[in-house]
Amino acid sequence: MKLRITLVLVSCLLSVLTGLVVSRGGAKATAQRSRPLIGLSMDTLKEERWQGDRDRFIARANQLGADVETLSANSDDNRQIKDVEALITKGVDALVIIPHDGAACAKAVELAHQAGIPVLAYDRLITGCDLDLYMTFDNVKVGELQAKFLAAAFAITPGKKRLVRIYGSKTDNNAFLFKQGQDNIIGPLVEKGEVEIVHEDWAQDWRPENAKKIANAAITKAGNFDAILASNDGTAGGAIQALVEEGLAGKILVTGQDAEKAACQRIVAGAQSMTIYKPLKELASKAAEAAVKLAQRRPIVARAELDNGKVKVPSIFLEVISVTKDNLRETVIADGFLKEADVFTP
Ligand code: BGC
């Protein structure tokens, strides 16, 4: 027994030296159950990416001997708070939240903490609260890679390029990080007079139909342009629909993110120019591992931290990859994320 405690202490000490240790000494870890129970509160399941996140998260948690109770709020903030309350009432040992609105979900974190339950924010940050852990991708880099793709394509031909920008949902902190990364690359080009932003807007709730409206407005207002810097595949899909209706698909560069099946098919067909592959399996697995540790009140090492307006949240950031037709096979397909036959038609 003594030896075990010493080992735990030594491993905690080593962890402190190499990164932050997350631990919330909550009320009742894995209360009377033999298996830990994790609550997963999701913004939406309407986009392909989130269904994959859910399935992969549950599979890994189950492998580790934990159960998962999932609720999806259908992009409704009140419903998401109610979902979290329901999960707390169910007696979950840890909560994983993918917030619809990162600020509104601070209340959910407070409620969980009052019940002694630690909270992990998954992919999207929850701001203004004493969040326990944040796991996501390098979101600024996502924006940078999207814009770098366009900058390289613009450089091939002379002349000032006309650009339309479609940002994500204002309720999602990630939307601002993607924009920040894009600004890092596009900003200097605008200053040098090499790029002109002819239209820009935010797609509420990331909905493709809202992105389509933005692209329609851009066509009406600006007439011709060279590229649409769409922040994800869903918004790219909406924008491309508008281009299709005007006979412009394939003639204008369009960026994306998520390596959704439909987006990869569009890349192969030439209607979309690129996407960002975020290895969701890695995020979902690592988050499930962390959630089980939180549920069991075991320490977690996080090497980074991010200010959420209230505290510096221990954070874990994963890498992302830029994908075009040229490296689709070596990335998305080789990783088993999508099947060759689903993306490339024979
Ligand atoms: C995620 C993206 C996703 C978007 C819309 C963002 O927070 O990081 O992968 O496309 O939400 O759901």
Side-chain angles (χ1 to χ4, degrees):
M1 184 67 182
K2 242 188 200 160
L3 178 68
R4 221 182 114 226
I5 292 172
T6 317
L7 280 177
V8 172
L9 282 176
V10 169
S11 87
C12 279
L13 194 64
L14 282 174
S15 305
V16 173
L17 294 174
T18 49
L20 291 161
V21 177
V22 183
S23 56
R24 176 167 296 273
K28 31 122 217 168
T30 320
Q32 278 84 27
R33 280 181 303 274
S34 57
R35 289 166 69 87
L37 179 62
I38 295 159
L40 175 60
S41 163
M42 306 185 70
D43 161 21
T44 177
L45 276 169
K46 281 201 176 140
E47 281 162 276
E48 183 184 300
R49 112 141 246 203
W50 299 117
Q51 295 167 18
D53 284 81
R54 176 200 55 192
D55 296 347
R56 293 177 174 105
F57 180 90
I58 293 177
R60 183 66 184 131
N62 288 165
Q63 258 179 13
L64 295 168
D67 293 316
V68 181
E69 184 79 32
T70 308
L71 290 174
S72 170
N74 204 15
S75 306
D76 178 333
D77 293 328
N78 291 330
R79 181 158 161 201
Q80 189 155 33
I81 301 290
K82 288 208 176 81
D83 286 351
V84 167
E85 282 171 338
L87 293 168
I88 294 171
T89 307
K90 273 229 162 191
V92 295
D93 303 298
L95 257 171
V96 175
I97 302 181
I98 306 169
H100 168 253
D101 183 318
C105 265
K107 177 150 182 242
V109 176
E110 252 171 56
L111 292 171
H113 284 176
Q114 279 162 17
I117 301 166
V119 182
L120 186 172
Y122 183 103
D123 195 76
R124 298 176 178 167
L125 185 64
I126 305 175
T127 53
C129 63
D130 182 14
L131 183 64
D132 298 286
L133 181 63
Y134 177 41
M135 294 184 73
T136 188
F137 293 96
D138 185 339
N139 295 311
V140 173
K141 187 157 174 206
V142 168
E144 286 177 350
L145 290 176
Q146 292 168 326
K148 273 184 185 167
F149 171 86
L150 291 185
F154 289 167
I156 295 172
T157 53
K160 189 174 198 165
K161 301 298 182 313
R162 293 163 63 76
L163 178 65
V164 173
R165 298 185 65 179
I166 303 181
Y167 312 119
S169 183
K170 276 190 182 166
T171 54
D172 179 2
N173 187 63
N174 283 351
F176 294 89
L177 298 177
F178 303 143
K179 180 177 184 300
Q180 185 188 320
Q182 295 164 2
D183 289 345
N184 290 345
I185 308 299
I186 296 297
L189 299 181
V190 171
E191 266 167 40
K192 280 194 267 174
E194 292 173 14
V195 169
E196 183 190 349
I197 313 294
V198 294
H199 188 65
E200 60 189 324
D201 208 347
W202 298 78
Q204 199 193 334
D205 286 342
W206 286 102
R207 287 188 204 277
E209 56 270 32
N210 294 333
K212 180 170 185 273
K213 281 184 197 145
I214 297 170
N216 282 330
I219 294 167
T220 309
K221 178 179 149 193
N224 66 318
F225 42 82
D226 301 283
I228 300 182
L229 180 42
S231 292
N232 79 342
D233 287 341
T235 52
I240 289 169
Q241 196 48 46
L243 297 180
V244 167
E245 287 169 15
E246 297 295 326
L248 293 170
K251 296 182 185 149
I252 287 170
L253 300 167
V254 183
T255 62
Q257 161 186 197
D258 287 337
E260 284 189 352
K261 198 204 296 182
C264 292
Q265 289 167 344
R266 287 193 297 263
I267 290 175
V268 171
Q272 185 170 326
S273 317
M274 62 88 70
T275 186
I276 302 289
Y277 173 47
K278 309 204 294 195
L280 297 185
K281 191 170 175 209
E282 200 189 340
L283 180 65
S285 303
K286 290 214 160 96
E289 287 156 22
V292 171
K293 282 189 184 162
L294 285 178
Q296 296 170 332
R297 306 300 187 264
R298 283 154 60 203
I300 295 162
V301 181
R303 288 177 206 292
E305 53 182 19
L306 190 74
D307 195 331
N308 77 342
K310 178 145 189 199
V311 292
K312 289 201 166 76
V313 185
S315 303
I316 295 172
F317 300 106
L318 305 179
E319 271 310 311
V320 297
I321 302 163
S322 184
V323 173
T324 63
K325 208 175 190 170
D326 294 340
N327 68 346
L328 236 170
R329 279 197 174 87
E330 296 88 80
T331 53
V332 177
I333 309 284
D335 219 15
F337 187 70
L338 293 176
K339 292 196 183 67
E340 160 118 20
D342 287 338
V343 176
F344 293 89
T345 38

